[in-house]
Amino acid sequence: MKIKKIVFATGNLNKLKEIKSAINIFEIVGLKDLGITEELPETGTTLKENALQKAKYVYNKTGLNCFSDDTGLEIESLNNRPGVYSAMYSGADCNAENNMRKVLSELKTFQNRKAKFKTVIALILNDKEYFFEGTVNGKILQKKKGNDGFGYDPIFKPEGYKETFAQMSIELKNKISHRGLAVYKLVSFLNQEELGL
Ligand code: IMP
């Protein structure tokens, strides 16, 4: 069985860019290429549920093999918030700036700035569901640093590195990030399927 093309079910163009730069043996098809412009449903209470919900929506609509990811930032001092609610953290006016502002303000009085990013990828391949996970540990800085990346990247410094995700090349971020690690597992799996192992 040949898997040459696979749909990445995301409306987030930054994620699409990251995944396209991480996977070069399969053609990654974005939602725009399929004329899907509506927001994908994301009403679960876990990353796994949300990832599967988005992948299923696109699979049911197109019949094409596809995968989706859901990511959350877990901050130790905030009892692992924002977690699965990372996208909407600042409420009605949520966007990356407001979300980061809220996190920085909530963490003001805390010494412990430990945090982790988690990604779950849900793949639907020929009607079967598969999951791949990636985690990266790090800490939340006192203020934003760097202009690249997206979301919470300017305030997250991965363990063992001096720079934030927003100060890194896309290649380095992909090598060490939550999504990069989950994608690596996905690609290894797709390669095995491709070879019929
Ligand atoms: P979702 O996976 O698209 O639901 O993303 C949840 C939230 O985490 C959104 O606010 C994203 O901007 C943010 N996010 C997802 N992936 C990353 C990342 O790699 N770096 C920083 N923020 C991210």
Side-chain angles (χ1 to χ4, degrees):
M1 178 190 44
K2 295 266 176 226
I3 309 159
K4 292 289 183 210
K5 279 190 187 188
I6 193 151
V7 179
F8 181 28
T10 185
N12 181 329
L13 296 180
N14 288 300
K15 285 187 182 179
L16 187 62
K17 189 173 157 201
E18 273 187 20
I19 296 265
K20 280 188 171 174
S21 112
I23 301 181
N24 46 28
I25 43 175
F26 301 98
E27 187 189 333
I28 305 297
V29 180
L31 294 185
K32 222 170 130 194
D33 304 322
L34 300 170
I36 298 178
T37 51
E38 66 270 29
E39 204 146 303
L40 303 183
E42 207 174 329
T43 55
T45 55
T46 63
L47 298 177
K48 191 174 172 182
E49 273 173 28
N50 279 343
L52 184 60
Q53 194 180 17
K54 290 185 270 188
K56 264 190 178 161
Y57 180 88
V58 173
Y59 186 72
N60 290 338
K61 191 158 179 170
T62 65
L64 299 170
N65 291 327
C66 71
F67 66 94
S68 183
D69 90 317
D70 202 50
T71 294
L73 175 64
E74 296 185 354
I75 302 173
E76 221 172 79
S77 291
L78 303 181
N79 296 321
N80 291 333
R81 288 198 320 273
V84 71
Y85 304 108
S86 294
M88 312 287 290
Y89 199 46
S90 50
D93 293 337
C94 61
N95 57 36
E97 283 306 314
N98 291 343
N99 288 344
M100 284 189 285
R101 195 172 304 127
K102 181 167 179 187
V103 162
L104 291 179
S105 141
E106 287 187 326
L107 275 182
K108 242 180 204 152
T109 56
F110 288 97
Q111 293 283 338
N112 176 4
R113 320 268 309 181
K114 280 188 197 161
K116 57 177 73 143
F117 267 117
K118 276 190 192 166
T119 286
V120 177
I121 290 178
L123 167 71
I124 306 185
L125 185 67
N126 305 322
D127 256 347
K128 286 201 193 119
E129 296 165 7
Y130 305 88
F131 298 92
F132 308 90
E133 296 187 15
T135 299
V136 61
N137 291 313
K139 70 175 193 177
I140 303 295
L141 299 184
Q142 304 281 350
K143 54 181 189 184
K144 296 188 290 173
K145 275 192 188 163
N147 301 310
D148 289 334
F150 67 99
Y152 296 90
D153 279 348
I155 57 171
F156 185 85
K157 190 181 82 58
E159 214 168 79
Y161 291 83
K162 286 205 175 84
E163 61 271 59
T164 64
F165 273 160
Q167 293 174 299
M168 288 182 176
S169 65
I170 199 166
E171 288 79 17
L172 180 56
K173 184 183 171 196
N174 272 337
K175 208 164 133 190
I176 62 169
S177 80
H178 45 298
R179 189 171 306 99
L181 297 172
V183 164
Y184 179 80
K185 294 177 189 172
L186 167 74
V187 170
S188 307
F189 173 82
L190 288 173
N191 276 333
Q192 281 195 346
E193 290 290 301
E194 174 85 349
L195 294 171
L197 294 175

